[in-house]
Amino acid sequence: MERSLMFKRPCLALFFSHIMVGLSLLVLEILQLLPMPVLYGVFLFMGLSSLPAMQFWNRLLLWLQQSSKYPDFAFTRYMEKKKIHLYTIFQLLFFGLVFLVQNISAISIIFPLMTLLCIPVRLYLLPRFFEGWEMCLMDGDDVEIDEWIVRKERSMKSGLFSGEDSKDSELEDAGIEDA
C-alpha cells in the first residue's frame, strides 16, 4: 500500500522570514556598499537557476522539440500537444499584455487592473477552451495533479477506459476523460 505524507510549512517559518526581511532594513547602509552589478548578478543567477522548475518555461521549450522527445510531465503524458501549446499561447499573450501595460507610462496606472484581470480570465475564459482536468494538469497544485493521476490510473486498471462511450459518473465528476 502506497502512502504519501504531506508536510505543511509551519507558520513560524513565515513569521521568521518576515522578521529577517524587517531586520535587513537595519543594515541598509552596509547593503549600499555592495555594487549594483553584484546585486544584479545575484538576482540574475537566482532567476536563471529557477527556470528549469517553471512549468511555463518547460512548455516554451516544447516548441523547440519533437513531440516524441517531450520530457515526461503529467501534461505531456495525458494531453494533446495542440492543447498544451494553446495554453502556452494564452499565457504568452497575457504576459505580453501585462508587460506592455507596465512599460507604457501613459497607461501604467492600470497595471494592478491587468493583473487582477487574469483572475476572471482564468475562471471564465479559459474553461471555454480547456476541460477541467486539462486545467488541473496545466496549472493545478502538485497534490491535485497527483490525485488526478492516481484516479486516472485506477480507473484505467479497472477497465473503465476501454474506449467505449459509457463513462462512470465518478469519473465525470472528477473530470477524468480518456486522453
Side-chain angles (χ1 to χ4, degrees), residues 17-32:
S17 67
H18 285 88
I19 293 292
M20 295 299 285
V21 169
L23 289 177
S24 70
L25 295 174
L26 299 176
V27 292
L28 279 179
E29 293 174 3
I30 297 172
L31 288 177
Q32 288 177 348

Side-chain angles (χ1 to χ4, degrees), residues 43 54 61 63 69 73 82 103 117 140 143 146 149 162:
F43 292 130
M54 293 177 62
L61 292 179
W63 282 346
K69 304 279 186 191
F73 296 118
K82 71 176 185 176
N103 289 312
L117 180 66
V143 175
D146 291 340
I149 291 171
S162 59

